[in-house]
Amino acid sequence: TDSTARFEDFQGFAKSLFETYRSGDTWRLRPGILPLLEALEREGRLIAVISNFDHRLPDVLEALKIKHFFTSIILPCDVGSAKPDRALCEHAARSLGTDLERLTYIGDDDAARLKIVAGYGIGVIDLRALENPAELADQLLSPDNDPTTIRESATDESIVQGMTSYPLLHLFSRP
């Protein structure tokens, strides 16, 4: 980077950059996420997004044409805490009309954060450990999906726990 760079209108530049990340052009869905969302919707599953992003997230989800899949979109400003705080997860459970233990967190957070979430009794799936997120639909929707028997011990490398009825998702990344 060039620390000597100067802008005639730095505030205008900063505002333009900030608004760029509200656009769908700046983001892409992970491969396999759209089929996963469609499958969960067909089965009538309620889905929430919890994110440490800001107030632009609903606009981003709308631009990506996926906002309609979500029962709720939960941000730190809604609750006064950020991931992985328990209050954010409890707020998500209430918004879906269920208990923490019936949730599955599907995310790409670091292992330490995923372990914290798993410690609340929430099933956790590490997206980074999956080759094809679309295959998650089969696991989440399986009639054999019994959260009391599927839960496994979390490891530092990958966490796949308790695939239950109410997914919480972290879905997109910057290109």
Side-chain angles (χ1 to χ4, degrees):
T1 61
D2 182 358
S3 63
T4 64
R6 301 287 180 250
F7 298 89
E8 287 185 32
D9 179 11
F10 183 78
Q11 287 184 332
F13 164 76
K15 182 177 180 177
S16 174
L17 182 61
F18 187 81
E19 290 303 315
T20 295
Y21 284 94
R22 182 188 304 266
S23 156
D25 297 336
T26 317
W27 303 91
R28 63 179 165 73
L29 288 177
R30 290 177 179 277
I33 290 297
L34 188 57
L36 171 62
L37 290 172
E38 291 168 340
L40 292 170
E41 181 181 54
R42 277 191 305 276
E43 292 292 321
R45 299 299 174 99
L46 300 178
I47 309 168
V49 172
I50 61 172
S51 176
N52 283 344
F53 202 66
D54 60 39
H55 67 278
R56 296 171 293 172
L57 182 60
D59 294 334
V60 170
L61 297 174
E62 185 69 40
L64 292 170
K65 299 179 179 17
I66 61 170
K67 183 178 176 188
H68 67 279
F69 288 108
F70 303 103
T71 301
S72 57
I73 300 166
I74 300 160
L75 303 170
C77 61
D78 298 328
V79 183
S81 65
K83 289 191 314 184
D85 192 77
R86 183 181 184 99
L88 201 66
C89 298
E90 289 172 341
H91 185 85
R94 282 191 304 278
S95 78
L96 295 172
T98 192
D99 300 317
L100 281 177
E101 295 77 22
R102 295 205 23 99
L103 297 177
T104 298
Y105 181 86
I106 303 168
D108 65 353
D109 302 270
D110 62 64
R113 183 175 285 177
L114 293 177
K115 282 184 116 167
I116 291 169
V117 172
Y120 304 146
I122 297 172
V124 175
I125 297 173
D126 184 350
L127 272 176
R128 297 167 302 164
L130 301 174
E131 289 185 32
N132 182 3
E135 295 170 359
L136 265 178
D138 294 335
Q139 295 173 14
L140 287 168
L141 301 175
S142 166
D144 299 327
N145 180 5
D146 177 1
T148 60
T149 59
I150 292 176
R151 292 191 188 277
E152 301 171 4
S153 302
T155 68
D156 288 335
E157 298 303 315
S158 170
I159 300 173
V160 179
Q161 287 193 316
M163 293 168 270
T164 59
S165 301
Y166 301 89
L168 305 175
L169 295 168
H170 179 89
L171 298 172
F172 52 89
S173 56
R174 291 183 295 279

